[in-house]
Amino acid sequence: MGSKKIVFLAASSLVLLALLAGGSLWAAGVWKPFSGGTADGVWQERADLAQAELADSFWNESRGLYDNVSPCIAQLCTDPFNYWWQAHAVDVLVDGYERTGDERYEKLLERMYEGIAERNAGVYPNDYYDDMEWMGLAWLRAYDATQDKRYMDVARLLWEDVKTGWNEEQGGGIAWRKEQLDYKNTPANAPAVILAVRLYEHTKDQDDLDWAIRIYEWQKKTLVDPDSGFVWDGINRQGDGAVDKDWKFTYGQGVYIGAGVELYRVTGDEGYLADARKTAVAAKEELTSSATGMLPSEGDGDGALFKGIFVRYLGELIQVDNEPEAWIELLETNAASLWDFGKDTEQARFSNSWAQTPENAVQLSTQLSAVMLLEQRARLEEREK
């Protein structure tokens, strides 16, 4: 009895110290990686370890947000406010919660709901339409997982703002930002389709579905190579009406795949699924190594998130495709390399390249992409059972 009491008091002290230091209970080491309710599996465990490392190394309880970098480097920890990184952090928390049912994810979501608004001047909208779409998508998923009505309200609020970005410059489309309404790009349009369709699934409001189809048709006509299906990044960035065909990012392929999958799910129209498959083939041929099957490193900062977004929506294609073997192989190859070569030797911290060990300091965007890949691989593991 005496020894148990000492252990309890020691654990309580760790909790108190963590909270006083602005850390999380998870970071105190009191809670270990948990996969309650999920089947045993190596990728389940690896996803748990990566999620635990994300909480231990990046979570800032005093702010209700994740730090930009770990280890914390002066003001770079908190500035700038990477709004869209935090949106993907919400998405990753939902991944963990859906997979495990662990209420710690739900608690972090509640704190992030407050923390994001506090850091964004007390509101959720911002100047970038693509950022708001990511935030809306993340909180809509959080609503689906928790049934907390506040999260649905945020998604609806942001969607109403996003729609104001549509104008007839370049023949239509959602603008990238409010200060540059004549520049249209894939990051501001394909995720808008996904958000509109997912809201439609809740509301059955035909207007939401009509918006999704309208935006998708503009995207396909304007920013998708009709021959290969490869997705171009944007049009009129420099005011000259030119299409950025040389900007070849995994991100753009992923969101267009996701848009096609979502429209196929609600309409049953095989054309949307064919579009998604075509782009997946083009992305594999254009962006992966023919020798290794690896996706490219797209740098740090925002670019470090791109592959995570791609694998998230490739995972959605796998769920509906009758012949998903090529996409499964791509995810399996990259996940295996990430774990064997792209991970720190002692911790579940990762590199921008999923084929080499990380630097000492790891950015939040980099860690989030790796967690997305591991969560998709864990999802495949469940599918295989």
Side-chain angles (χ1 to χ4, degrees):
M1 179 69 71
S3 62
K4 289 181 180 178
K5 185 174 182 180
I6 290 170
V7 170
F8 174 78
L9 289 173
S12 299
S13 298
L14 280 171
V15 171
L16 180 59
L17 287 171
L19 292 176
L20 288 173
S24 68
L25 292 178
W26 209 333
V30 178
W31 284 336
K32 301 299 182 185
F34 175 75
S35 39
T38 65
D40 291 335
V42 65
W43 291 103
Q44 307 285 333
E45 294 170 4
R46 289 173 176 180
D48 284 338
L49 288 169
Q51 288 272 13
E53 183 64 35
L54 177 64
D56 283 342
S57 295
F58 293 89
W59 178 251
N60 188 320
E61 178 63 23
S62 66
R63 299 172 61 237
L65 297 171
Y66 289 93
D67 287 336
N68 291 331
V69 64
S70 174
C72 193
I73 303 172
Q75 198 171 351
L76 290 176
C77 285
T78 57
D79 295 313
F81 173 41
N82 287 302
Y83 176 102
W84 87 290
W85 294 14
Q86 301 295 331
H88 287 286
V90 171
D91 236 355
V92 162
L93 287 175
V94 176
D95 289 336
Y97 185 61
E98 288 183 339
R99 181 173 53 81
T100 68
D102 184 350
E103 65 180 14
R104 288 173 293 178
Y105 292 106
E106 188 173 11
K107 297 297 183 185
L108 290 177
L109 285 168
E110 291 174 1
R111 184 68 187 97
M112 282 199 79
Y113 173 82
E114 300 166 352
I116 290 170
E118 288 169 4
R119 184 64 176 81
N120 200 50
V123 297
Y124 261 90
N126 81 355
D127 291 335
Y128 292 84
Y129 290 107
D130 59 338
D131 286 8
M132 291 192 289
E133 291 158 19
W134 287 121
M135 194 65 76
L137 282 166
W139 286 116
L140 185 57
R141 285 192 69 220
Y143 169 76
D144 289 338
T146 67
Q147 296 301 297
D148 189 323
K149 186 176 180 296
R150 296 176 298 171
Y151 304 158
M152 170 62 86
D153 290 343
V154 167
R156 289 295 313 180
L157 172 71
L158 292 171
W159 172 231
E160 292 304 313
D161 200 332
V162 165
K163 288 187 287 187
T164 68
W166 178 277
N167 62 66
E168 294 308 314
E169 294 283 348
Q170 313 309 316
I174 302 288
W176 177 52
R177 62 183 302 192
K178 295 174 180 177
E179 294 181 1
Q180 194 178 2
L181 293 174
D182 60 351
Y183 170 43
K184 312 294 180 63
N185 63 9
T186 294
N189 283 273
V193 175
I194 300 169
L195 179 58
V197 173
R198 290 183 179 178
L199 284 167
Y200 168 75
E201 291 180 292
H202 287 277
T203 66
K204 301 307 177 187
D205 184 342
Q206 184 63 38
D207 188 58
D208 289 332
L209 182 57
D210 290 344
W211 267 104
I213 293 171
R214 182 186 186 192
I215 297 168
Y216 185 89
E217 289 176 348
W218 178 87
Q219 166 77 41
K220 182 177 179 179
K221 177 181 70 175
T222 311
L223 293 176
V224 180
D225 186 327
D227 296 324
S228 70
F230 194 84
V231 180
W232 300 318
D233 192 77
I235 184 170
N236 203 46
R237 177 170 51 88
Q238 297 179 314
D240 57 3
V243 174
D244 291 313
K245 295 183 180 181
D246 293 332
W247 283 16
K248 298 179 179 181
F249 302 127
T250 56
Y251 174 14
Q253 317 313 307
V255 289
Y256 185 66
I257 289 167
V261 168
E262 293 298 325
L263 280 168
Y264 167 69
R265 281 174 167 152
V266 297
T267 67
D269 186 335
E270 292 280 347
Y272 294 122
L273 183 57
D275 287 347
R277 287 190 187 115
K278 186 176 182 178
T279 294
V281 170
K284 187 172 184 291
E285 291 178 351
E286 185 77 28
L287 298 175
T288 64
S289 166
S290 59
T292 66
M294 292 298 297
L295 290 162
S297 172
E298 292 169 284
D300 57 9
D302 288 343
L305 263 172
F306 291 178
K307 291 198 300 288
I309 293 166
F310 176 76
V311 298
R312 177 180 296 286
Y313 290 102
L314 193 68
E316 294 303 309
L317 177 58
I318 288 169
Q319 299 304 310
V320 298
D321 197 346
N322 291 329
E323 297 181 352
E325 291 77 18
W327 327 132
I328 290 173
E329 180 183 13
L330 192 158
L331 287 184
E332 289 178 342
T333 296
N334 279 265
S337 179
L338 172 71
W339 197 263
D340 291 341
F341 305 111
K343 184 178 76 68
D344 184 270
T345 55
E346 297 181 359
Q347 300 167 294
R349 295 160 63 86
F350 303 94
S351 172
N352 297 327
S353 166
W354 290 345
Q356 65 185 56
T357 53
E359 301 293 332
N360 210 17
V362 175
Q363 292 186 323
L364 174 62
S365 52
T366 301
Q367 186 75 7
L368 289 173
S369 259
V371 177
M372 289 183 214
L373 175 58
L374 292 170
E375 288 286 359
Q376 288 300 318
R377 184 62 184 88
R379 193 179 183 191
L380 285 179
E381 188 174 59
E382 280 294 294
R383 176 188 174 95
E384 292 161 2
K385 292 185 182 298

